Amino acid sequence: MLLALRRYVDFRGRSRRREYWMFVLLCLIAIVLAGVVMIAATGSFRTQEQMATKFTAWAGFAIAPLIIPLIAVTIRRVHDLGLSGWWLLALPIGAAIPMLDTIVGIAQIIVMAIPGKTGANRFGDSPKASTTTGIPWSDTSGR
């Protein structure tokens, strides 16, 4: 979960699905905690719109320090699929088009769930292969 924070501004290389999804989980936990703190600090709300406005502000403060590592881990995840990180520009463009924003969000979830390319690609060696080296039970030679 914290590997993406250790690679805070590393936009090169590849990241596994686990690294990506665990960091997304960390971001979601930060947003939920911001909501809990907001409710505890501000109490009741007159309207649902007032609550949504305050929650957006609190969640924004909670997620702000995580934006750069989130972009970096997402770029590395796209690299693991063999694609350029520039494909991420399609997300805000697609999300800005009404009725297409939901489709773009679902497409992002699907793409990020696809297994990475095995072996090396133009962005580096497979992160999955490098994490299993040196572990005795990962030997697949049949010995």
Side-chain angles (χ1 to χ4, degrees), residues 114-133:
I114 296 172
K117 303 289 182 194
T118 56
N121 67 16
R122 65 185 174 136
F123 300 105
D125 293 330
S126 172
K128 200 170 201 175
S130 65
T131 58
T132 59
T133 57

Side-chain angles (χ1 to χ4, degrees), residues 64-142:
L66 302 175
I67 293 295
I68 292 173
L70 180 61
I71 292 169
V73 75
T74 305
I75 287 174
R76 291 192 311 267
R77 178 71 199 115
V78 173
H79 285 174
D80 193 38
L81 298 170
L83 301 170
S84 170
W86 290 105
W87 278 99
L88 291 182
L89 290 178
L91 293 176
I93 293 169
I97 301 171
M99 305 281 279
L100 192 60
D101 55 348
T102 304
I103 296 169
V104 169
I106 292 169
Q108 180 185 6
I109 291 170
I110 292 169
V111 168
M112 294 300 163
I114 296 172
K117 303 289 182 194
T118 56
N121 67 16
R122 65 185 174 136
F123 300 105
D125 293 330
S126 172
K128 200 170 201 175
S130 65
T131 58
T132 59
T133 57
I135 300 173
W137 56 84
S138 69
D139 185 19
T140 58
S141 63

